[in-house]
Amino acid sequence: QVQLVESGGGLVQAGGSLRLSCAASGRTFTNYPMGWFRQAPGKEREFVTAIAWGGRNTYYADSMKGRFTISTDNAKNTMYLQMTSLKPEDTAVYYCAASSSRYLNDYRADTQYNYWGRGTQVTVSS
């Protein structure tokens, strides 16, 4: 059974850091594109960052560049999102996603991903 499970969310003060994890099972997802998306209350789900298969390319939303870092550990079949300099507007449920296709037309489009985790809440207090 294919499964993605996020962890590492929580409450942090503005300026703080968190590291989210996405543990994959059922297949070796780190050999395929993976990404992070988030959804704040009352807003649509938005792209955060993605990594191409083999880690050869990474993609970031403009507001996350320089603050967030995506990475994968093939041995653990796990993806990470290191978040620093967190802001209250980063408060959201963060979802990990994976694709069964090696190449994507648009890494920023959530429709390109066909496996999703249930999400982990990140709350940044001011």
Side-chain angles (χ1 to χ4, degrees), residues 4-10 12 18-22 35-41 45-49 63-64 67-68 79 81-97 116-124:
L4 299 174
V5 179
E6 303 95 336
S7 62
V12 64
L18 278 176
R19 189 178 79 155
L20 306 184
S21 299
C22 173
W36 290 95
F37 291 77
R38 69 185 187 185
Q39 187 167 20
R45 185 164 59 190
E46 66 172 342
F47 169 77
V48 175
T49 179
S63 61
M64 288 74 164
R67 300 191 300 125
F68 291 8
M79 177 176 65
L81 178 63
Q82 179 67 50
M83 304 185 292
T84 63
S85 302
L86 283 162
K87 306 173 183 179
E89 51 263 44
D90 293 319
T91 295
V93 177
Y94 284 71
Y95 298 92
C96 70
W116 291 85
R118 291 190 173 186
T120 185
Q121 176 71 46
V122 172
T123 302
V124 184

Side-chain angles (χ1 to χ4, degrees), residues 89-107:
E89 51 263 44
D90 293 319
T91 295
V93 177
Y94 284 71
Y95 298 92
C96 70
S99 173
S100 56
S101 299
R102 278 283 173 88
Y103 300 99
L104 304 184
N105 293 325
D106 183 357
Y107 286 83

